[in-house]
Amino acid sequence: MNPVLIAKLALAGAGIVVWGLGARADNAMLRWTGIGLLALAFLLRFAKGRQDN
């Protein structure tokens, strides 16, 4: 698997978990942190992966 893909999946998974915990606990800081992680995972979509020869 491509390292960029692994990073995207890890950030998206962590973002969903943190956002869910923030929503459940009614904690705005956790919700925004989760949203930020999801946004970062989305922005990694534009990163170029390593090209293997």
Side-chain angles (χ1 to χ4, degrees), residues 6-39:
I6 294 171
K8 284 192 280 190
L9 291 174
L11 284 171
I16 291 171
V17 169
V18 171
W19 177 82
L21 288 172
R24 183 170 178 87
D26 195 27
N27 187 335
M29 180 65 79
L30 282 178
R31 280 195 308 260
W32 282 110
T33 303
I35 291 169
L37 289 172
L38 286 170

Side-chain angles (χ1 to χ4, degrees), residues 7-13 36-46:
K8 284 192 280 190
L9 291 174
L11 284 171
L37 289 172
L38 286 170
L40 189 58
F42 175 74
L43 289 176
L44 275 178
R45 161 183 182 179
F46 300 110

